[in-house]
Amino acid sequence: MARLHLFDLDGTLLHGTTAPVEISRQLGLEAEAVALDRAIGAGLIGPPEYAQQVYTLWAALTEAHVATAFERAPWLARIREVWAEIRAQGDYCAVISLSPSFFVERLTGWGAHAAYGSRFPAVPFVEPVDPTGVLSAAAKVLIADRLCAEFGVTRADCIAYGDSSSDKDLFGAVPVSVAVNADHHLSEISTHSYTGKDLWDAYELVRVAR
């Protein structure tokens, strides 16, 4: 039976940062984005409020800013190699993130079978952000279920990789999980734990030779 590997983005594939912070850095607004990350991490605001505030922060955002943020972000090493190996094994890999879809979806170019983020309007913004399209921790599980149906697997065949409370619901829904540079929300409930900057080393914890 094929397996489905489900990857978080912020703090997991990105080391020590989030997509909104990296995007905001291109606009000279890194400190503001870090403050918003702290607010949502502390539960002071929810995903819809967070999305609206970064949307407002990014009034001058262009596609060039997004491309530069993606290229210069501190990605873990060997992401593409891990996903190529997963594909070669006949398995599937997907990214599910609360970060904006226009950033997350770029990872299909690195080999992810699917990539889901909070639904934002196209850049540059001419339409408002729709709060109903903003993802939550619970939404990650719903998307995982849709992916299972699409790829012909079940939750029992899934492996989740994450780092924070936004991944807690998904970790509770699948049998195998890898906490990657994780905080206390996940380190105590994960099957495996990895600290470092190389995704291959985290993948090795669950890799099955065939």
Side-chain angles (χ1 to χ4, degrees), residues 103-127:
F103 189 94
V104 180
E105 289 169 359
R106 289 172 175 264
L107 288 167
T108 58
W110 285 13
H113 286 92
Y116 287 87
S118 291
R119 193 165 62 248
F120 269 65
V123 176
F125 299 142
V126 294
E127 300 175 357

Side-chain angles (χ1 to χ4, degrees), residues 16-38:
T17 188
T18 66
V21 168
E22 296 306 305
I23 293 166
S24 299
R25 192 191 309 278
Q26 304 307 313
L27 299 168
L29 298 169
E30 177 185 357
E32 290 83 348
V34 169
L36 287 174
D37 277 3
R38 288 174 179 163

